[in-house]
Each structure stands twice: as structure tokens, then as C-alpha cells.
Amino acid sequence: MQAKLNHGLAALLRRVGVVPVLTIDKLDQAVPLARALAEGGLNVLEITLRTACALDAIREMVRAVPGAIIGAGTVLSPEQGAAAMANGARFIVSPGMTPRLIDAAATWPVPFLPGVATASEAMALADMGYRVLKFFPAEPTGGVPALKALGAPLADLVFCPTGGIDAAKAPGYLALPNVAAVGGSWVAPAKAVAGGDWAAVTALAREAARLRVS
Ligand code: 3PG
């Protein structure tokens, strides 16, 4: 059941092209940030579980921005996945995979996007029925040439690269046939978020929303 749901992620990711990866430092920034991104056309958002207010941020975004699809990132354990879903997360992202996470994800009612950086990791997940994988950390792992090379032997797999991608680098990834979307934090610069410059965030989102895969 879960693997089938993971297959469905490809269409969702292709529809948006860019998934903002957001680390929320202050809870009162969460809803205005989600609204600013959605207004710019980016409505699939990954909230990393790296800050104390991350779960509350997910819950408030889900409640206040119903047009957005809010997921949780940096999920390292089944317990974190469960907490994220209890707060309304509609997809779960991990930088990698562990046997515990894979076992738990098989029971989750929402899709799981596990991370890989090598052919062996991708093959292991493909064996388990996963088709859509996060490629992380994309730039340090070899970037566009690496993902292009993986696509030759692993032609059935679809990737969402994240890590070190910005507006200039995103088009190179999105031109690859095995990329459904890219993830990144560049659409929500720390300075704009801290200063409440939501117009700047919307402008970056609008630019990013034009990048989706052809
Ligand atoms: C992450 O998990 O931090 C994401 O990959 C975002 O990376 P970025 O900040 O380099 O875009």
C-alpha cells in the first residue's frame, strides 16, 4: 500500500517542480511564510523537524493554509514520522533510510520519500517497491551529472534532488527525465523570513514556480 502511495508522489512533485524546504525558527513566521509561498505558486512545502517549533508550525500551516500540502522533512525515526502525521503532515521525507523507518513507513497512511546518495541505496529501495527517491545531498554528491548517470541503469526511478540547489542550478536538474521536482531553501532566505519580507518570498516563489519540469 505504502509503495503505491510513493509512486503517486511523482505526479504531485511534477505538478509543482520546486518544493521549498523550510526550517522554521519562530512559530509566528510559519503561517505568513506558507501563505507567501502559496501565493507565489508553491504549495507543496517540506517543514524540517530541526527546530523546537517544527511540529507546531506544521499544525498551524495545515490549519491556516488549506490550499497547501504540508509535509515533514528531516524525519529520522518512526516516532518523528508519527508526530508529524499527528500534526497533519501529508508526506514524510528523510535524508536517508533505516530499517526501522522502512518498517514503519509501510504502515503510514501518507507517502514516504526516503533519501539516497548511491546506486546501491536506490536499488535497495527499488527492491522494496519505492519508485520516488530524494537524492541528497544533491550538489556535494555530484549534482546533475551524477543524477544523469544514475538514470541510465536505474531508468524506472524518479528523484527529487535537494541540498545545495538554488534558482540558477534548479533548471539543470529539472531538465533531466528522472527528476520530478527539486527541493531547496533558496525561496525562503533567512533574512527575508526574519524580517517578515513576505513580498520578497512570494517573488522568489513565483520565479521558482515557473521552473517546473517540461
Ligand atoms: C535540506 O535538507 O537541508 C535540504 O536539502 C535543503 O538544502 P538547501 O538548504 O541546501 O537548499
Side-chain angles (χ1 to χ4, degrees), residues 5 23 36 42 49 66 80 85 129 135-136 139 143 171 183 185 194 206:
L5 285 168
T23 298
L42 299 181
L49 300 192
Q80 285 181 308
M85 289 185 289
F135 180 58
F136 177 83
E139 283 292 307
S185 59
R206 200 160 274 142

Side-chain angles (χ1 to χ4, degrees), residues 5-195:
L5 285 168
N6 178 282
H7 290 205
L9 267 179
L12 176 72
L13 295 173
R14 282 209 171 87
R15 184 166 62 69
V16 288
V18 174
V19 177
V21 177
L22 307 170
T23 298
I24 311 285
D25 289 317
K26 294 194 179 132
L27 186 56
D28 63 3
Q29 295 164 345
V31 168
L33 178 56
R35 283 197 179 120
L37 290 164
E39 194 182 325
L42 299 181
N43 64 359
V44 176
L45 311 179
E46 176 188 330
I47 315 307
T48 68
L49 300 192
R50 296 182 203 169
T51 56
C53 69
L55 291 171
D56 291 332
I58 290 172
R59 193 180 59 253
E60 293 211 355
M61 287 172 164
V62 167
R63 178 186 53 78
V65 195
I69 295 173
I70 309 295
T74 321
V75 172
L76 308 179
S77 70
E79 294 75 18
Q80 285 181 308
M85 289 185 289
N87 282 280
R90 288 171 61 188
F91 61 93
I92 303 290
V93 185
S94 179
M97 60 127 164
T98 67
R100 284 183 75 226
L101 266 179
I102 294 297
D103 282 353
T107 70
W108 289 346
V110 305
F112 177 44
L113 182 65
V116 302
T118 67
S120 292
E121 292 162 1
M123 287 164 63
L125 283 161
D127 250 6
M128 297 171 202
Y130 284 87
R131 175 161 177 254
V132 189
L133 306 172
K134 172 173 164 129
F135 180 58
F136 177 83
E139 283 292 307
T141 303
V144 170
L147 207 40
K148 189 174 178 186
L150 282 173
L154 306 176
D156 289 341
L157 297 178
V158 176
F159 294 90
C160 177
T162 74
I165 300 175
D166 58 18
K169 293 184 181 120
Y173 287 96
L174 292 167
L176 296 178
N178 59 343
V179 168
V182 300
S185 59
W186 85 88
V187 288
K191 198 172 162 204
V193 174

